[in-house]
Each structure stands twice: as structure tokens, then as C-alpha cells.
Amino acid sequence: SQKIEQNSEALNIQEGKTATLTCNYTNYSPAYLQWYRQDPGRGPVFLLLIRENEKEKRKERLKVTFDTTLKQSLFHITASQPADSATYLCALVSDTGRRALTFGSGTRLQVQP
Amino acid sequence: GAGVSQSPSNKVTEKGKDVELRCDPISGHTALYWYRQSLGQGLEFLIYFQGNSAPDKSGLPSDRFSAERTGGSVSTLTIQRTQQEDSAVYLCASSLQAGNQPQHFGDGTRLSIL
């Protein structure tokens, strides 16, 4: 069956360090992968989309990589700040025909000042 | 407004009652999605609408759940004969088109079934 896996344990890091979050998927062949941020009590907010032919995508302090051989995406936040504390979700479109996103369960990031 | 709007933001009801949740998508977005998020869990797809096409209802958990989208804009998710396991946050999103477009989410309706 198709699965999207994110580390369910919270990631705690010190301010200024780089946070790296992992998204692994099985039995998908996605052309795109998306990352969202979700704060408590709010809906997810779109951050980045990366295509299968893009190895890396950057936006300000954010960087996403996409390895279709490993079936993995890494999400990096450099020079992390306490305001980056949130849950980060990866998502992709199933290649079975349904055109809605399937989300991972998310990884909670806590940046300590 | 500029974003996706959902109402009510909170709904408490007794088991067995029917509830209606409303979503106003971003103007011009042809795709509209409903998801459910239980406490501490990921988003569970329920249904999506794309333009005038028949909706994809494959995520609806039972026939007590239904949704409609009138005039290609506002959508209503209806849950009949609510059960306690229906308690969750119901999130609506819209995008320019279905598929790999970024989705814009509302802040959800928190539904509590007593």
C-alpha cells in the first residue's frame, strides 16, 4: 500500500542551528512533492513545491531536496528561529488517479532560544 | 476576504444530530477539498471538487457524510446522525486546479460530538 512517513517524534534544536526533517514514501511515483507548515489551531500553509526533475529547491532560509531513487525528501531550515517552531507536513499526489494531496502525519519542530 | 473561510470555527453537538460545515474558497479557485484531522494526527482526505466534474468522494468514511458545492464556489459538508468518532477538525482547502497546485487552507471547524 502507499505510505508517506515522517518522523513522529518532535525535533528539538537550538536557535541558529539547521533543522532537517525527513519525508519517506513507498509505492508512489510522484511528479511533485509539497511541504506545508501547520501551527496549532490553524490550517496548513503551503511552503514549497519541488518537481521530480529538481534535485533541490530554495526559498529564503528553506531548502528542500527530492531524491526519487531513495524515495525521500529532506526539508531544511537554516539559521532556525523560535518562530519556526511548528509542525511540518509533506504531501504528494497519488499516482493512482486521485488528484487530492495525501499528507504525512507531520513532524513537530521546536526551536529553543 | 482573500483567504479560505470556514464556518463555524467551533461546533458542539449531541450524538445523533446532523451538522453542516461551510467553506468559502478563494475566488477563482476551481478545486475545493475537504480533509479531516483528528487530534495529533495527519490530514485525512474526504472529498474534492474540480470545476463542473463529478466530485471524488472516495475518502468519505460512511454514507452519513456528504458534500456539495453550489455554483462552483461555496461548499457544505454535511454529517448526518453524528457519532462520537466524528469529533475532529474539518479542514477545507482550495487551489487553482486539482492536482499538484499549492492548496490554500482555512483554519477549520472543530467539531465535538457529546
Side-chain angles (χ1 to χ4, degrees), chain B residues 4 18 21 28 37 41 43 49-50 57 69-70 84 90 95 98:
Chain B
V4 176
D18 297 353
L21 312 179
Q37 187 172 32
Q41 302 296 311
L43 279 72
F49 300 84
Q50 168 60 60
K57 306 178 182 180
R69 187 179 186 191
T70 53
Q84 286 188 329
Y90 289 81
S95 64

PDB file of all heavy atoms in Angstrom, chain B residues 4 18 21 28 37 41 43 49-50 57 69-70 84 90 95 98:
ATOM      1  N   VAL B   4      -9.288  31.346   2.411  1.00  0.00           N
ATOM      2  CA  VAL B   4     -10.379  30.394   2.555  1.00  0.00           C
ATOM      3  C   VAL B   4     -11.043  30.620   3.911  1.00  0.00           C
ATOM      4  O   VAL B   4     -10.354  30.699   4.930  1.00  0.00           O
ATOM      5  CB  VAL B   4      -9.853  28.950   2.439  1.00  0.00           C
ATOM      6  CG1 VAL B   4     -10.979  27.949   2.700  1.00  0.00           C
ATOM      7  CG2 VAL B   4      -9.228  28.727   1.066  1.00  0.00           C
ATOM      8  N   ASP B  18     -27.597  16.141  13.142  1.00  0.00           N
ATOM      9  CA  ASP B  18     -26.945  16.437  11.870  1.00  0.00           C
ATOM     10  C   ASP B  18     -26.184  17.758  11.989  1.00  0.00           C
ATOM     11  O   ASP B  18     -26.625  18.669  12.713  1.00  0.00           O
ATOM     12  CB  ASP B  18     -27.979  16.577  10.747  1.00  0.00           C
ATOM     13  CG  ASP B  18     -28.751  15.293  10.487  1.00  0.00           C
ATOM     14  OD1 ASP B  18     -28.399  14.236  11.075  1.00  0.00           O
ATOM     15  OD2 ASP B  18     -29.709  15.342   9.685  1.00  0.00           O
ATOM     16  N   LEU B  21     -21.192  22.027   7.775  1.00  0.00           N
ATOM     17  CA  LEU B  21     -19.988  22.844   7.857  1.00  0.00           C
ATOM     18  C   LEU B  21     -19.821  23.561   6.518  1.00  0.00           C
ATOM     19  O   LEU B  21     -19.992  22.956   5.461  1.00  0.00           O
ATOM     20  CB  LEU B  21     -18.761  21.964   8.142  1.00  0.00           C
ATOM     21  CG  LEU B  21     -18.910  20.938   9.273  1.00  0.00           C
ATOM     22  CD1 LEU B  21     -17.637  20.120   9.419  1.00  0.00           C
ATOM     23  CD2 LEU B  21     -19.275  21.607  10.578  1.00  0.00           C
ATOM     24  N   GLY B  28     -12.048  32.244  -7.799  1.00  0.00           N
ATOM     25  CA  GLY B  28     -11.288  31.836  -8.971  1.00  0.00           C
ATOM     26  C   GLY B  28     -10.639  30.470  -8.856  1.00  0.00           C
ATOM     27  O   GLY B  28     -10.147  29.923  -9.849  1.00  0.00           O
ATOM     28  N   GLN B  37      -8.952  16.103  10.348  1.00  0.00           N
ATOM     29  CA  GLN B  37      -7.735  15.930  11.139  1.00  0.00           C
ATOM     30  C   GLN B  37      -8.126  15.632  12.579  1.00  0.00           C
ATOM     31  O   GLN B  37      -8.686  16.486  13.267  1.00  0.00           O
ATOM     32  CB  GLN B  37      -6.849  17.173  11.063  1.00  0.00           C
ATOM     33  CG  GLN B  37      -5.493  17.007  11.709  1.00  0.00           C
ATOM     34  CD  GLN B  37      -4.576  18.190  11.457  1.00  0.00           C
ATOM     35  OE1 GLN B  37      -5.011  19.331  11.342  1.00  0.00           O
ATOM     36  NE2 GLN B  37      -3.271  17.931  11.327  1.00  0.00           N
ATOM     37  N   GLN B  41      -3.106  13.853  14.693  1.00  0.00           N
ATOM     38  CA  GLN B  41      -2.986  13.004  13.504  1.00  0.00           C
ATOM     39  C   GLN B  41      -2.786  13.848  12.250  1.00  0.00           C
ATOM     40  O   GLN B  41      -2.920  15.072  12.267  1.00  0.00           O
ATOM     41  CB  GLN B  41      -4.253  12.151  13.328  1.00  0.00           C
ATOM     42  CG  GLN B  41      -4.558  11.275  14.517  1.00  0.00           C
ATOM     43  CD  GLN B  41      -3.489  10.247  14.747  1.00  0.00           C
ATOM     44  OE1 GLN B  41      -3.071   9.555  13.826  1.00  0.00           O
ATOM     45  NE2 GLN B  41      -3.027  10.138  15.992  1.00  0.00           N
ATOM     46  N   LEU B  43      -3.654  14.732   8.099  1.00  0.00           N
ATOM     47  CA  LEU B  43      -4.890  15.057   7.398  1.00  0.00           C
ATOM     48  C   LEU B  43      -5.407  13.849   6.625  1.00  0.00           C
ATOM     49  O   LEU B  43      -4.658  13.185   5.915  1.00  0.00           O
ATOM     50  CB  LEU B  43      -4.651  16.207   6.410  1.00  0.00           C
ATOM     51  CG  LEU B  43      -4.661  17.611   6.987  1.00  0.00           C
ATOM     52  CD1 LEU B  43      -3.432  17.876   7.814  1.00  0.00           C
ATOM     53  CD2 LEU B  43      -4.794  18.635   5.873  1.00  0.00           C
ATOM     54  N   PHE B  49     -13.719  18.572  -5.201  1.00  0.00           N
ATOM     55  CA  PHE B  49     -14.478  19.045  -6.351  1.00  0.00           C
ATOM     56  C   PHE B  49     -13.508  19.730  -7.313  1.00  0.00           C
ATOM     57  O   PHE B  49     -12.644  20.485  -6.890  1.00  0.00           O
ATOM     58  CB  PHE B  49     -15.538  20.086  -5.925  1.00  0.00           C
ATOM     59  CG  PHE B  49     -16.544  19.577  -4.941  1.00  0.00           C
ATOM     60  CD1 PHE B  49     -16.274  19.577  -3.580  1.00  0.00           C
ATOM     61  CD2 PHE B  49     -17.781  19.108  -5.381  1.00  0.00           C
ATOM     62  CE1 PHE B  49     -17.211  19.115  -2.661  1.00  0.00           C
ATOM     63  CE2 PHE B  49     -18.722  18.651  -4.473  1.00  0.00           C
ATOM     64  CZ  PHE B  49     -18.435  18.652  -3.116  1.00  0.00           C
ATOM     65  N   GLN B  50     -13.658  19.464  -8.583  1.00  0.00           N
ATOM     66  CA  GLN B  50     -12.869  20.139  -9.609  1.00  0.00           C
ATOM     67  C   GLN B  50     -13.828  20.653 -10.673  1.00  0.00           C
ATOM     68  O   GLN B  50     -14.371  19.868 -11.455  1.00  0.00           O
ATOM     69  CB  GLN B  50     -11.837  19.196 -10.225  1.00  0.00           C
ATOM     70  CG  GLN B  50     -11.174  19.740 -11.480  1.00  0.00           C
ATOM     71  CD  GLN B  50     -10.426  21.037 -11.239  1.00  0.00           C
ATOM     72  OE1 GLN B  50      -9.501  21.089 -10.435  1.00  0.00           O
ATOM     73  NE2 GLN B  50     -10.817  22.096 -11.933  1.00  0.00           N
ATOM     74  N   LYS B  57     -15.438  11.296  -4.266  1.00  0.00           N
ATOM     75  CA  LYS B  57     -15.955  11.053  -2.922  1.00  0.00           C
ATOM     76  C   LYS B  57     -15.259   9.891  -2.243  1.00  0.00           C
ATOM     77  O   LYS B  57     -15.734   9.396  -1.215  1.00  0.00           O
ATOM     78  CB  LYS B  57     -17.449  10.725  -2.982  1.00  0.00           C
ATOM     79  CG  LYS B  57     -18.298  11.744  -3.697  1.00  0.00           C
ATOM     80  CD  LYS B  57     -19.753  11.274  -3.721  1.00  0.00           C
ATOM     81  CE  LYS B  57     -20.637  12.236  -4.480  1.00  0.00           C
ATOM     82  NZ  LYS B  57     -22.040  11.787  -4.516  1.00  0.00           N
ATOM     83  N   ARG B  69     -21.183  21.418  -3.661  1.00  0.00           N
ATOM     84  CA  ARG B  69     -20.559  22.692  -3.981  1.00  0.00           C
ATOM     85  C   ARG B  69     -21.488  23.400  -4.956  1.00  0.00           C
ATOM     86  O   ARG B  69     -21.688  22.924  -6.070  1.00  0.00           O
ATOM     87  CB  ARG B  69     -19.183  22.495  -4.604  1.00  0.00           C
ATOM     88  CG  ARG B  69     -18.432  23.805  -4.789  1.00  0.00           C
ATOM     89  CD  ARG B  69     -17.066  23.614  -5.375  1.00  0.00           C
ATOM     90  NE  ARG B  69     -16.349  24.886  -5.400  1.00  0.00           N
ATOM     91  CZ  ARG B  69     -15.205  25.092  -6.039  1.00  0.00           C
ATOM     92  NH1 ARG B  69     -14.635  24.107  -6.710  1.00  0.00           N
ATOM     93  NH2 ARG B  69     -14.624  26.276  -6.015  1.00  0.00           N
ATOM     94  N   THR B  70     -22.037  24.494  -4.514  1.00  0.00           N
ATOM     95  CA  THR B  70     -23.024  25.197  -5.319  1.00  0.00           C
ATOM     96  C   THR B  70     -22.376  26.301  -6.135  1.00  0.00           C
ATOM     97  O   THR B  70     -21.558  27.072  -5.610  1.00  0.00           O
ATOM     98  CB  THR B  70     -24.123  25.800  -4.418  1.00  0.00           C
ATOM     99  OG1 THR B  70     -23.498  26.593  -3.409  1.00  0.00           O
ATOM    100  CG2 THR B  70     -24.921  24.696  -3.759  1.00  0.00           C
ATOM    101  N   GLN B  84     -19.647   9.903  18.029  1.00  0.00           N
ATOM    102  CA  GLN B  84     -18.522  10.492  18.765  1.00  0.00           C
ATOM    103  C   GLN B  84     -17.221  10.420  17.978  1.00  0.00           C
ATOM    104  O   GLN B  84     -16.386  11.321  18.063  1.00  0.00           O
ATOM    105  CB  GLN B  84     -18.382   9.822  20.134  1.00  0.00           C
ATOM    106  CG  GLN B  84     -19.467  10.261  21.102  1.00  0.00           C
ATOM    107  CD  GLN B  84     -19.240   9.753  22.511  1.00  0.00           C
ATOM    108  OE1 GLN B  84     -18.673   8.689  22.706  1.00  0.00           O
ATOM    109  NE2 GLN B  84     -19.702  10.520  23.486  1.00  0.00           N
ATOM    110  N   TYR B  90     -12.320  19.728  10.857  1.00  0.00           N
ATOM    111  CA  TYR B  90     -12.613  19.555   9.439  1.00  0.00           C
ATOM    112  C   TYR B  90     -12.039  20.756   8.695  1.00  0.00           C
ATOM    113  O   TYR B  90     -12.408  21.906   8.947  1.00  0.00           O
ATOM    114  CB  TYR B  90     -14.123  19.405   9.225  1.00  0.00           C
ATOM    115  CG  TYR B  90     -14.614  18.079   9.738  1.00  0.00           C
ATOM    116  CD1 TYR B  90     -14.875  17.893  11.097  1.00  0.00           C
ATOM    117  CD2 TYR B  90     -14.750  16.983   8.883  1.00  0.00           C
ATOM    118  CE1 TYR B  90     -15.272  16.648  11.576  1.00  0.00           C
ATOM    119  CE2 TYR B  90     -15.147  15.745   9.367  1.00  0.00           C
ATOM    120  CZ  TYR B  90     -15.392  15.589  10.712  1.00  0.00           C
ATOM    121  OH  TYR B  90     -15.775  14.353  11.196  1.00  0.00           O
ATOM    122  N   SER B  95      -7.626  25.324  -4.488  1.00  0.00           N
ATOM    123  CA  SER B  95      -6.460  25.552  -5.335  1.00  0.00           C
ATOM    124  C   SER B  95      -6.937  25.938  -6.728  1.00  0.00           C
ATOM    125  O   SER B  95      -8.108  25.723  -7.079  1.00  0.00           O
ATOM    126  CB  SER B  95      -5.562  24.312  -5.384  1.00  0.00           C
ATOM    127  OG  SER B  95      -6.213  23.222  -5.988  1.00  0.00           O
ATOM    128  N   ALA B  98      -7.170  21.084  -9.465  1.00  0.00           N
ATOM    129  CA  ALA B  98      -6.835  19.883  -8.700  1.00  0.00           C
ATOM    130  C   ALA B  98      -5.493  19.341  -9.183  1.00  0.00           C
ATOM    131  O   ALA B  98      -5.068  19.599 -10.295  1.00  0.00           O
ATOM    132  CB  ALA B  98      -7.915  18.830  -8.871  1.00  0.00           C
TER     133      ALA B  98
END
